[in-house]
Amino acid sequence: MREWVKHQDPNNKYGAKFTLGDRDVELPQTAIISVTRGENFNIFRIMINGTINNFVKKQLQKNENLLYAELSGQLQGGVGQTITVWKKGSSMNNFRKKGAHKFAMRFFSWVFYGGKVQAYYLTWKISNSIPEDNEIKEIVKKYGKHYDGGKLLKSAQQPPLI
């Protein structure tokens, strides 16, 4: 079974990234990437988000249709981001509807939709390789669905094929 690997942020002792799989994986033509990003989490929301992520990580680890996953967070700025790369879109949709992820969406949505949290969501088709972290941040903020404290400000748009 694949294992999660922790990468401590060398510039921030309160930041880390967890990866599952190889970022340089060969992508099939049907591959999609899904990004969930939250900013301005307070300490309580960060702790809840981290706890929920531990359950979701176990579910991701068992999924054969997942090509790559990355969970990252920074205490300063209250940032949390999840990146998943799937063989095809239906694989991601099936994952979202079951297990720990379904539970998290149902009972802990207030973590992403309350307070001063800025939440971004986007799923899009990728072709050659997984974009770098700074590109992903730009893409999800420019094209993704955007919520401010739970209020929808912008619907998602498909970015150009990368």
Side-chain angles (χ1 to χ4, degrees), residues 121-133:
Y121 304 92
L122 184 62
T123 299
W124 73 98
K125 185 173 173 40
I126 56 175
S127 58
N128 298 327
S129 62
I130 300 169
E132 294 300 320
D133 290 342

Side-chain angles (χ1 to χ4, degrees), residues 31-87:
I32 63 151
I33 183 170
S34 183
V35 179
T36 300
R37 181 178 178 84
E39 298 176 350
N40 301 328
F41 287 130
N42 62 27
I43 189 71
F44 181 69
R45 289 177 197 270
I46 287 174
M47 289 171 32
I48 297 293
N49 189 51
T51 302
I52 294 166
N53 275 338
N54 282 329
F55 293 109
V56 174
K57 280 169 57 177
K58 290 178 183 173
Q59 184 182 354
L60 284 167
Q61 198 170 2
K62 298 174 187 175
N63 196 303
E64 296 172 1
N65 294 304
L66 179 73
L67 297 172
Y68 177 77
E70 187 174 293
L71 305 172
S72 59
Q74 293 182 356
L75 190 57
Q76 296 157 323
V79 177
Q81 182 169 280
T82 303
I83 299 168
T84 52
V85 179
W86 301 87
K87 291 179 181 177

Side-chain angles (χ1 to χ4, degrees), residues 1-158:
M1 185 183 310
R2 299 179 292 180
E3 295 291 325
W4 286 94
V5 177
K6 181 178 181 179
H7 310 271
Q8 195 68 41
D9 184 339
N11 302 315
N12 181 352
K13 70 178 181 176
Y14 300 112
K17 179 189 300 185
F18 293 86
T19 59
L20 180 66
D22 183 2
R23 190 178 188 105
D24 295 326
V25 65
E26 187 173 327
L27 300 173
Q29 289 184 336
T30 55
I32 63 151
I33 183 170
S34 183
V35 179
T36 300
R37 181 178 178 84
E39 298 176 350
N40 301 328
F41 287 130
N42 62 27
I43 189 71
F44 181 69
R45 289 177 197 270
I46 287 174
M47 289 171 32
I48 297 293
N49 189 51
T51 302
I52 294 166
N53 275 338
N54 282 329
F55 293 109
V56 174
K57 280 169 57 177
K58 290 178 183 173
Q59 184 182 354
L60 284 167
Q61 198 170 2
K62 298 174 187 175
N63 196 303
E64 296 172 1
N65 294 304
L66 179 73
L67 297 172
Y68 177 77
E70 187 174 293
L71 305 172
S72 59
Q74 293 182 356
L75 190 57
Q76 296 157 323
V79 177
Q81 182 169 280
T82 303
I83 299 168
T84 52
V85 179
W86 301 87
K87 291 179 181 177
K88 56 186 177 181
S90 60
S91 302
M92 185 210 56
N93 288 331
N94 290 334
F95 171 80
R96 287 180 48 211
K97 297 177 190 175
K98 297 178 183 167
H101 194 277
K102 178 182 176 182
F103 178 79
M105 285 176 45
R106 188 171 193 176
F107 292 103
F108 296 104
S109 61
W110 59 269
V111 171
F112 269 82
Y113 297 119
K116 298 178 182 179
V117 175
Q118 301 294 306
Y120 302 88
Y121 304 92
L122 184 62
T123 299
W124 73 98
K125 185 173 173 40
I126 56 175
S127 58
N128 298 327
S129 62
I130 300 169
E132 294 300 320
D133 290 342
N134 58 342
E135 281 183 280
I136 289 174
K137 178 181 172 183
E138 284 180 28
I139 291 168
V140 75
K141 289 180 107 174
K142 182 174 182 177
Y143 297 101
K145 187 182 285 191
H146 177 205
Y147 289 89
D148 180 352
K151 182 180 177 187
L152 178 64
L153 296 183
K154 180 176 63 106
S155 296
Q157 304 168 358
Q158 284 300 303

